[in-house]
Amino acid sequence: MSLRFPRRLATTTALGGLVLSLWGCQTTAPMVAQSIGPHDVACQVATPGNGAMARVRVAKGDSDSLSAESTAGACSTLQQVGEALQAQGSALGFEVIGPVRSQSEWNQVDNLAMRNAVLRQPEPDSVQVVITERITQCGASVGYILGCTPASGRPFVFIKQHNILQDWAPEWVIWAHELGHAVGLTHPDGANVEPARPKRIMTYAPNPQSVELATQEPEAFVQMSRFRSGGPVALTRAQSQQAAGAAVAAADVLKYVSRGGAHGVNLDPLAQLSDAQLLPLRQMLAPGARLSALLQGAQFSPSEVPALNQWLVASNDDAAWSSLVAQAAEEPARESAPPSSGGLDLSLKLKDLLNWSKRPQAPDLVAVMQSNAIAVMGDLGGAQTVDAVMQALSRQEAVLPLDARHLGVAALGRNLARTQTPALAAFLGAASVPQFWCPTQSKPDADCVALSNSARMALVQGRSLPTLNSR
Ligand SMILES: [Zn+2]
């Protein structure tokens, strides 16, 4: 574990930031057993005085991009979770059983895949943590989703592979947040509104300062050890039934979609919008879309939105809105990295090693906003909006981020399930061929193959599963 937040270490005096910095500087890596069987203990971390241990099994997809997700990594993350919980009065440690298992079905998940996992073994004797490349849907929400607990009070947690630049909240915070849902905790603030409790682990929009537990939360976490005997620990409503908030006016659609939190964008407040009213989201998919243009187009005012969402909060801790917009106007392209001195630049190397330079940049925010926009458009759109999605996915130049393309394809599959539109089926059929995604390559690369697999899956599900509808 490296010094991931050196700036805060130096400047933050608030309790949350200080505690986080200490946790971030964890010095002892957990002991992880080697060559263990599926029922052996891989690690025991943050063992509390009372011995209350949550038992955890970890699975992941089998794609190359998930190859770095290891048993040791899961043990380390859970150690951070356990230490954070105990520092706040929750006496709980974690015991990981067996090695991380890889299965192709966990490369990308949606409501159906998560529901099937729960139904297959409704009362396991351990918390099931699944690390996936992408969560395309979580209850009524779509878009860029960090984690999903499909049934509140039950031990099934799905977590998107961590991307420090786009997710920004530390990995352990996301794990703790989802594990909180597994013991029935809900958000202390609303979905898709400016988070009212941003320092709480259970906030809808976690950021690096979201490290606090409050009220009954420490007690609730301790209940996780009771999953060892099977059965739910609490009778609470499912995450998908959480209040979605008021209907969104047509004029606010860009703002609403731009501000999705950890669980993406809830579609319910958008359900009454017409095809024409969703169409303005198209500008978020424009070739070379820049953050400044997206912010201007959304017409935010500083008083209305003090911070766009957790990413903007994180990247601009003390910046006023106007300077944020000004900064966005000067955003560098992701490709044009700062010129290297050519020789060995020790300070740059050191910065990289310590993650000093890993603060979200404008292109990271644009990638998240585009993921949210294309998922909403593809899922809810009528003829014009869906056409804009298909055009964006067909573009060869200035293509959308990989996540956005997968999320767009999955959304079109859900739209097909609802509408059975022939043009959608035809598009997904064409996109099921790897050459669609990289027509100039003689041998399509792994991304193109994965995208074609996504399209084929979306087509199959869209044709056969009318219940895939998010709403
Ligand atoms: Zn949540």
Side-chain angles (χ1 to χ4, degrees):
M1 194 68 225
S2 59
L3 283 169
R4 195 170 275 177
F5 307 103
R7 200 171 148 199
R8 292 181 200 290
L9 191 69
T11 60
T12 311
T13 52
L15 178 65
L18 184 62
V19 171
L20 176 69
S21 298
L22 294 175
W23 289 331
C25 296
Q26 175 189 316
T27 48
T28 49
M31 294 274 294
V32 182
Q34 303 297 313
S35 336
I36 51 167
H39 305 294
D40 298 334
V41 175
C43 65
Q44 288 182 317
V45 293
T47 307
N50 66 358
M53 300 289 272
R55 186 189 283 152
V56 177
R57 285 185 171 84
V58 185
K60 63 169 184 169
D62 66 355
S63 67
D64 284 349
S65 78
L66 291 167
S67 59
E69 304 295 332
S70 65
T71 310
C75 289
S76 173
T77 303
L78 287 169
Q79 176 168 314
Q80 290 176 279
V81 174
E83 287 171 357
L85 295 178
Q86 285 173 37
Q88 301 185 69
S90 184
L92 183 74
F94 294 93
E95 177 181 77
V96 174
I97 304 295
V100 173
R101 291 161 297 142
S102 303
Q103 284 173 268
S104 60
E105 65 178 311
W106 302 137
N107 284 333
Q108 177 171 299
V109 301
D110 57 10
N111 283 351
L112 184 71
M114 292 188 282
R115 191 164 59 220
N116 285 342
V118 175
L119 292 178
R120 209 171 333 172
Q121 193 188 7
E123 300 191 346
D125 66 353
S126 53
V127 181
Q128 315 289 303
V129 174
V130 174
I131 304 170
T132 180
E133 273 188 87
R134 219 166 287 107
I135 299 169
T136 62
Q137 189 186 25
C138 176
S141 296
V142 301
Y144 193 77
I145 296 173
L146 304 184
C148 187
T149 303
S152 183
R154 285 188 177 269
F156 298 91
V157 164
F158 293 81
I159 295 173
K160 185 188 73 61
Q161 179 179 33
H162 195 58
N163 175 338
I164 186 66
L165 293 173
Q166 291 183 14
D167 306 350
W168 191 236
E171 188 170 19
W172 76 263
V173 169
I174 304 298
W175 284 53
H177 178 107
E178 295 304 328
L179 290 168
H181 286 313
V183 288
L185 296 178
T186 52
H187 302 135
D189 44 18
N192 298 307
V193 296
E194 192 64 19
R197 306 269 185 275
K199 294 194 169 174
R200 298 266 292 274
I201 284 175
M202 296 311 296
T203 179
Y204 182 77
N207 68 62
Q209 282 78 52
S210 306
V211 298
E212 295 176 5
L213 300 179
T215 61
Q216 85 291 5
E217 289 170 354
E219 268 172 69
F221 272 101
V222 175
Q223 292 197 64
M224 210 178 303
S225 60
R226 292 171 53 184
F227 284 129
R228 300 168 77 99
S229 52
V233 296
L235 277 179
T236 48
R237 58 201 174 150
Q239 195 174 317
S240 55
Q241 261 83 62
Q242 277 190 304
V248 171
D252 293 333
V253 66
L254 276 166
K255 178 165 67 181
Y256 179 79
V257 171
S258 299
R259 298 175 62 195
H263 303 297
V265 181
N266 192 308
L267 295 179
D268 289 342
L270 299 170
Q272 84 292 351
L273 296 179
S274 69
D275 189 30
Q277 288 169 328
L278 289 168
L279 197 57
L281 291 170
R282 176 174 51 183
Q283 74 182 68
M284 296 172 76
L285 306 184
R290 292 163 67 87
L291 184 62
S292 51
L294 299 183
L295 291 176
Q296 304 288 9
Q299 295 179 333
F300 301 126
S301 76
S303 59
E304 188 181 24
V305 189
L308 180 59
N309 55 29
Q310 68 269 41
W311 297 284
L312 291 194
V313 172
S315 59
N316 296 274
D317 8 24
D318 29 44
W321 184 256
S322 51
S323 62
L324 168 58
V325 173
Q327 182 185 325
E330 298 157 10
E331 72 201 52
R334 169 51 39 87
E335 296 72 27
S336 61
S340 149
S341 61
L344 185 63
D345 187 332
L346 274 180
S347 71
L348 266 183
K349 275 275 170 247
L350 195 62
K351 271 187 177 179
D352 262 344
L353 283 173
L354 295 177
N355 282 339
W356 281 18
S357 57
K358 300 250 168 85
R359 298 173 73 77
Q361 304 294 318
D364 301 312
L365 309 187
V366 170
V368 172
M369 291 164 84
Q370 289 183 323
S371 295
N372 285 338
I374 199 168
V376 168
M377 294 170 72
D379 202 306
L380 290 184
Q384 295 181 81
T385 305
V386 161
D387 192 57
V389 170
M390 293 191 293
Q391 283 185 32
L393 290 173
S394 304
R395 266 201 315 262
Q396 299 309 323
E397 86 289 2
V399 290
L400 296 165
L402 185 63
D403 268 326
R405 286 183 282 168
H406 278 286
L407 294 173
V409 164
L412 291 179
R414 296 191 295 271
N415 195 314
L416 177 63
R418 190 176 79 249
T419 63
Q420 296 300 317
T421 306
L424 262 179
F427 176 83
L428 289 172
S432 298
V433 179
Q435 277 75 15
F436 174 91
W437 299 100
C438 45
T440 57
Q441 296 175 10
S442 55
K443 188 173 184 301
D445 65 25
D447 284 350
C448 296
V449 172
L451 284 162
S452 67
N453 287 337
S454 266
R456 191 176 313 114
M457 180 68 77
L459 179 61
V460 168
Q461 293 192 343
R463 274 180 172 157
S464 58
L465 292 166
T467 52
L468 254 191
N469 187 357
S470 296
R471 286 176 292 140

